[in-house]
Amino acid sequence: MILSKFVDELPILPILKPTWKDPLLTYYEVNMTEFKQSLHNELNDTTVWGYEGSFPGPTIEVESGERVFIKWINNLPDKHLLPIDYTVHGAHNDVPQVRTVVHVHGASVEPDSDGYPDAWFTNGFSLVGPKFKKEVYQYDNNQRSVTQWYHDHTIGITRLNVYAGLAGFYLIRDQRERLLNLPSGKYDIPLMIQDRSFHKDGSLYYPNQPPKPIKGLETSIIPEFFGKTILVNGKVWPYLKVEPRKYRFRLLNGSNTRFYRIKLDSGQLIYQIGTDSGLMEYPIGIHEILLAPAERADVIINFTNLEGKNIIMTNDAPAPFPDADPANVVSIIMQFSVSLPLTNIDTSVIPQYMEPIQKLQEQSASKIRYLTLNDNMDQYGREFMLLDNKQWDYPITENPKLGSTEIWYLINLTTDTHPIHIHLIDFQILDRRPFDVDKYNKGGVIHYTGPAMPPAPQERGEKDTVRANPKQVTRIIMKFGPYTGLYVWHCHILEHEDYEMMRPYMVIR
Ligand code: C2O
Ligand code: CU
Ligand code: CU
């Protein structure tokens, strides 16, 4: 079944209304339910999971410093939509199939509100995971303006819960950003880019076996997933009618495994103004943007003088990344049709300068950690990935001190690029440097084979997810705080995260 392109209009995600708001606090209730939604005009309605009846969920918009409380409520049925692998840690037969816990990706938040994978809860909170602490989460939003997103984070089934639809945007705004006069209001549009496959009847397809089936297992986790279509804000290959003026788009890769290398077929420049964790110092004009799962790019696209043109946003990222199987590449994302009249003169700007970014100094680091990304084999002969050669269950080894700065060397011994995400903090990328993997495997020593490469201009800002490329050591620097307690770090390829490429870490006093 081949779906036509650009037949559905891009959905503009609704902004979530608070249940309660006063000068001291804002309170939201967010229900997770199962419902049917049209994902493409030629497809029967698809059963999905979403927040407040919407896939992706409604956008939560808050002000920097606003005290926000959210009760995430599981109103889902007892049976999962997608194939659960009961051999995966945390998803054995001794727990209910349908469990949820919500993490705001990028949030600086106290540990009990961070959505720890073992803090899951079921419909009506009737059963909860071993690390469950509270029903109402607290977000202090002590951050500058930024594009974050919320998504499910349940141990062993994150890939399935997110694939079913549990993800949405969470934006923090601030005065400084407003003063920059960026395109705003209806000209500021978040775009969640995801890949999905469908059965003929319109239902979501997710494989229950890898290409080489596992003997004796009815359902097995797969090492990677690539959908055959690309959705933006919940529609397959949509179009957006735009005015001939500037727009701000917050690009988010919300896919399980797929990377995107985004270009415009008009060849025009995209002006990137922000990274994962907020605005950059100054905009950069670029022709392509690479986004691994969970990475964001805040961009401005200028459609001025392009009346009547159709501009396609394309993708040519290898899948898997970087060693592609060309059959997996899906090259179209969406289309912009410059067909609306200009309603007002466009007075928004692409600023010369935006915000200072304090560069963290290497000398300020009190601890250096060397952490490998490894391939391994499980008892069924399935390949799986580890961080520092340790499984999720192994006791905590990363325990940074509150307020201390650390440098982490991510030593990638595998053949994939892994998007490594650390909860609670933002980091800066120091550099990436090629090394000899064979020598490392034999002697445990890093032999560099070339010079260190600085991060790409697109990555020069605050980040919370970094691409750790194969045969490279990626160095990141960060300061831990302002909270202490239990968090996680992991690969954001959800099929990896669910199967052991995740570790707990603890910020200590
Ligand atoms: Cu976007 Cu630990 O997650
Ligand atoms: Cu996160
Ligand atoms: Cu990975």
Side-chain angles (χ1 to χ4, degrees):
M1 170 189 39
I2 296 177
L3 299 172
S4 312
K5 306 204 165 65
F6 321 134
V7 294
D8 290 285
E9 195 155 3
L10 175 86
I12 302 297
L13 302 173
I15 309 282
L16 186 65
K17 292 214 174 51
T19 311
W20 172 262
K21 188 176 173 108
D22 66 28
L24 294 179
L25 66 91
T26 311
Y27 174 66
Y28 293 95
E29 284 185 355
V30 185
N31 278 279
M32 295 171 241
T33 53
E34 180 174 298
F35 51 92
K36 285 190 176 252
Q37 187 172 307
S38 168
L39 307 188
H40 188 277
N41 185 268
E42 296 156 0
L43 207 56
N44 292 332
D45 287 2
T46 304
T47 301
V48 294
W49 290 0
Y51 299 96
E52 290 295 300
S54 158
F55 156 65
T59 300
I60 298 176
E61 270 201 31
V62 307
E63 187 69 17
S64 174
E66 185 175 347
R67 290 188 73 211
V68 171
F69 294 83
I70 305 181
K71 185 172 184 181
W72 304 98
I73 302 167
N74 177 336
N75 268 322
L76 291 164
D78 298 339
K79 214 182 140 350
H80 211 290
L81 263 186
L82 301 164
I84 291 179
D85 179 350
Y86 296 100
T87 69
V88 168
H89 176 95
H92 301 322
N93 273 312
D94 56 351
V95 292
Q97 281 196 4
V98 178
R99 298 164 287 125
T100 57
V101 64
V102 187
H103 168 62
V104 177
H105 182 124
S108 169
V109 64
E110 51 124 11
D112 295 349
S113 298
D114 191 47
Y116 195 79
D118 284 322
W120 50 263
F121 51 92
T122 60
N123 191 320
F125 296 100
S126 55
L127 277 169
V128 298
K131 288 283 194 294
F132 177 87
K133 292 283 165 51
K134 47 161 94 164
E135 292 187 0
V136 179
Y137 278 12
Q138 173 173 353
Y139 303 90
D140 293 335
N141 301 301
N142 289 324
Q143 289 165 281
R144 57 200 185 109
S145 69
V146 57
T147 305
Q148 302 178 338
W149 62 303
Y150 61 93
H151 62 76
D152 193 82
H153 216 304
T154 308
I155 187 81
I157 52 170
T158 295
R159 70 192 183 289
L160 305 174
N161 287 359
V162 173
Y163 191 78
L166 295 177
F169 280 96
Y170 186 110
L171 311 181
I172 302 181
R173 300 190 178 276
D174 67 12
Q175 196 51 27
R176 174 172 213 141
E177 173 199 29
R178 263 176 224 116
L179 292 174
L180 288 173
N181 194 19
L182 302 166
S184 63
K186 62 177 175 175
Y187 307 111
D188 172 2
I189 303 176
L191 300 177
M192 185 176 303
I193 307 172
Q194 300 175 304
D195 59 341
R196 296 286 183 272
S197 290
F198 300 97
H199 294 285
K200 280 211 180 65
D201 66 359
S203 57
L204 283 175
Y205 168 82
Y206 188 90
N208 54 9
Q209 285 281 356
K212 258 203 256 137
I214 308 300
K215 263 225 190 78
L217 288 184
E218 213 180 291
T219 301
S220 166
I221 188 158
I222 51 175
E224 60 203 17
F225 170 82
F226 299 105
K228 294 198 175 356
T229 69
I230 298 189
L231 287 75
V232 187
N233 294 354
K235 284 281 188 197
V236 178
W237 294 310
Y239 68 88
L240 174 68
K241 288 187 196 158
V242 295
E243 299 179 20
R245 53 160 292 148
K246 294 188 266 328
Y247 279 73
R248 176 181 186 184
F249 297 105
R250 297 144 185 277
L251 307 175
L252 159 67
N253 181 349
S255 301
N256 283 29
T257 302
R258 187 183 288 282
F259 288 48
Y260 297 94
R261 193 159 58 203
I262 295 168
K263 288 186 197 140
L264 298 175
D265 75 339
S266 55
Q268 72 191 90
L269 286 175
I270 301 172
Y271 296 91
Q272 187 179 351
I273 56 173
T275 53
D276 299 338
S277 312
L279 294 172
M280 306 191 299
E281 279 197 302
Y282 45 84
I284 49 169
I286 48 182
H287 281 108
E288 61 177 48
I289 293 178
L290 179 59
L291 292 178
E295 281 191 299
R296 284 89 77 207
D298 204 336
V299 304
I300 294 175
I301 299 179
N302 193 350
F303 300 109
T304 305
N305 296 326
L306 294 175
E307 287 91 342
K309 293 262 174 349
N310 287 323
I311 297 160
I312 298 174
M313 183 187 274
T314 62
N315 163 49
D316 66 353
F321 195 92
D323 283 328
D325 176 348
N328 289 329
V329 177
V330 180
S331 58
I332 303 284
I333 299 177
M334 65 173 287
Q335 184 192 60
F336 301 103
S337 149
V338 192
S339 55
L340 295 177
L342 188 62
T343 41
N344 278 303
I345 293 174
D346 181 8
T347 54
S348 69
V349 297
I350 301 172
Q352 295 280 319
Y353 183 85
M354 290 174 296
E355 289 189 3
I357 289 179
Q358 277 280 317
K359 237 186 150 196
L360 290 174
Q361 297 302 321
E362 278 190 52
Q363 311 83 266
S364 68
S366 55
K367 175 103 188 163
I368 291 176
R369 296 183 196 270
Y370 299 91
L371 300 159
T372 52
L373 317 186
N374 318 85
D375 271 316
N376 212 317
M377 196 83 96
D378 75 3
Q379 51 172 320
Y380 302 99
R382 296 181 292 193
E383 191 192 40
F384 71 141
M385 311 278 182
L386 295 173
L387 296 172
D388 200 30
N389 237 334
K390 295 179 177 68
Q391 301 204 7
W392 165 248
D393 259 351
Y394 192 86
I396 289 175
T397 39
E398 287 72 62
N399 48 5
K401 281 208 182 73
L402 176 66
S404 71
T405 299
E406 298 198 353
I407 297 175
W408 289 16
Y409 284 58
L410 304 171
I411 306 164
N412 189 348
L413 305 173
T414 77
T415 54
D416 296 321
T417 294
H418 300 275
I420 301 297
H421 170 51
I422 307 177
H423 284 212
L424 176 66
I425 50 88
D426 298 329
F427 52 73
Q428 294 171 6
I429 303 172
L430 288 171
D431 50 29
R432 295 186 178 90
R433 194 166 178 188
F435 73 107
D436 189 321
V437 173
D438 289 336
K439 280 195 182 141
Y440 187 91
N441 282 333
K442 277 183 207 120
V445 182
I446 302 173
H447 289 267
Y448 289 112
T449 55
M453 298 164 288
Q458 294 96 303
E459 306 178 303
R460 289 185 201 157
E462 302 283 351
K463 296 276 293 166
D464 59 37
T465 305
V466 61
R467 280 172 265 114
N469 297 323
K471 304 193 190 84
Q472 289 181 4
V473 175
T474 301
R475 295 196 313 146
I476 54 175
I477 184 167
M478 58 255 163
K479 186 172 178 173
F480 287 91
Y483 304 98
T484 56
L486 187 59
Y487 295 92
V488 298
W489 68 287
H490 59 88
C491 174
H492 219 290
I493 291 177
L494 301 183
E495 283 70 20
H496 295 178
E497 168 183 346
D498 267 347
Y499 201 37
E500 301 293 348
M501 204 171 194
M502 175 161 73
R503 289 282 298 150
Y505 88 91
M506 174 99 83
V507 182
I508 58 172
R509 250 176 225 294

